Amino acid sequence: MPVSGAVSSQVPTRDPAWLGRLFYLGFALVLLWPLGVATEFRPWLLLEPQSLAVTGRFLADFLPPRLDAEFLGLVLREAWRTVAIATAGISLALLAAVPLALLATRSLSISALSGRMAPAATLLRLIVRGLLILLRSVPELVWALIFVRVVGLGATAGVLAIALSYAGMLGKVYAEVLESGDTEPTRALLRNGAGRLQAFVYALLPQNATELSSYTVYRWECAIRSSVVLGFVGAGGLGQQIDSSMKMFNGGEVATLLLVFVLLVALADAFSAGIRKALQ
């Protein structure tokens, strides 16, 4: 009993690191304050009576949702088109991202086996990395605006926009994942006469397949959300239908479309989580 009493008396009554946490919290607020001023971030405006009245009228227009069979059939077709746009875009992105990632990966360079990479190989690697930066730095919404002008309204613009933007994202992450793994098996294969593709398939891919597949599935899930946003600029899918209903001030249709979109994202999230779990 005395021992337990002595131990309990040594238990601190408050967090010993509270002062440090308080300091860093205050430091973060000091840094964020000028950013809030620069962006004119004033969330308290949402609670003003005029703002609350506008919000109430906007939400009231959503009731009741439109649930007739004809409209639900249209919504299901557009939801399927949204998934098709995302899937086709990711598939095209993979066709570009995989070879670009292989060219950008230093551990797959044969000239780098002796230590320093050859000038030509270094230049090629820099060009490929610059291309990946260009592709992912332009948002898919901007790509969609460009392709809508080129190929017209419809799903084609959305597919191409996702393909280019996600090719840059996937290629960059693929290259970083491949370079972060154990490079000794890859170098051993290259020294013994194997090609870049063989070294990738038999050395780098087996140890990184789970991480690469998991990230690809996650990006497919993100592409579904992106395809809805692209619809607002005429790239097809649920987004284009939501934009049309909002322009017609038909809140019931918008409510139904938003509910279907939430359900679609939830299903995509569950599907991708199941695939990631199976891969692991």
Side-chain angles (χ1 to χ4, degrees), residues 60-278:
D61 291 338
F62 283 7
L63 299 175
R66 183 178 174 182
L67 299 175
D68 58 275
E70 181 182 358
F71 184 69
L72 288 180
L74 172 64
V75 172
L76 291 178
R77 287 194 298 271
E78 294 302 323
W80 172 248
R81 183 173 299 176
T82 298
V83 176
I85 291 172
T87 306
I90 283 291
S91 300
L92 290 178
L94 286 172
L95 293 178
V98 172
L100 290 176
L102 296 182
L103 292 174
T105 304
R106 179 182 176 85
S107 58
L108 288 174
S109 176
I110 298 177
S111 65
L113 293 175
S114 58
R116 186 174 183 179
M117 189 183 298
T122 302
L123 179 61
L124 176 62
R125 184 167 176 265
L126 291 176
I127 292 175
V128 171
R129 286 191 170 270
L131 178 60
L132 292 176
I133 292 174
L134 173 64
L135 291 177
R136 70 176 183 272
S137 62
V138 180
E140 54 264 34
L141 188 61
V142 177
W143 284 121
L145 287 171
I146 295 174
F147 285 119
V148 163
R149 291 180 174 273
V150 175
V151 300
L153 300 174
T156 302
V159 171
L160 293 176
I162 291 177
L164 288 183
S165 182
Y166 279 60
M169 299 178 190
L170 291 172
K172 174 184 180 295
V173 175
Y174 286 172
E176 291 183 350
V177 169
L178 295 176
E179 288 185 348
S180 64
D182 185 11
T183 60
E184 287 304 319
T186 306
R187 293 180 179 276
L189 287 175
L190 293 177
R191 289 192 183 99
N192 286 278
R196 295 166 62 98
L197 186 59
Q198 292 174 314
F200 166 71
V201 172
Y202 293 105
L204 284 181
L205 184 59
Q207 61 177 313
N208 298 299
T210 300
E211 188 173 358
L212 294 174
S213 302
S214 178
Y215 182 76
T216 303
V217 173
Y218 168 72
R219 272 299 161 191
W220 171 76
E221 179 188 336
C222 294
I224 291 179
R225 292 193 290 268
S226 296
S227 61
V228 175
V229 178
L230 299 181
F232 281 86
V233 295
L238 280 176
Q240 188 168 349
Q241 190 62 43
I242 293 174
D243 184 48
S244 300
S245 297
M246 292 184 69
K247 290 179 178 178
M248 298 297 294
F249 300 100
N250 198 326
E253 292 184 356
V254 175
T256 301
L257 290 165
L258 290 177
L259 289 174
V260 171
F261 174 56
V262 171
L263 179 61
L264 179 62
V265 172
L267 292 174
D269 179 71
F271 179 71
S272 61
I275 292 180
R276 288 195 295 268
K277 184 177 180 181

Side-chain angles (χ1 to χ4, degrees), residues 1-11:
M1 293 298 292
V3 174
S4 61
V7 173
S8 61
S9 64
Q10 297 176 1
V11 177

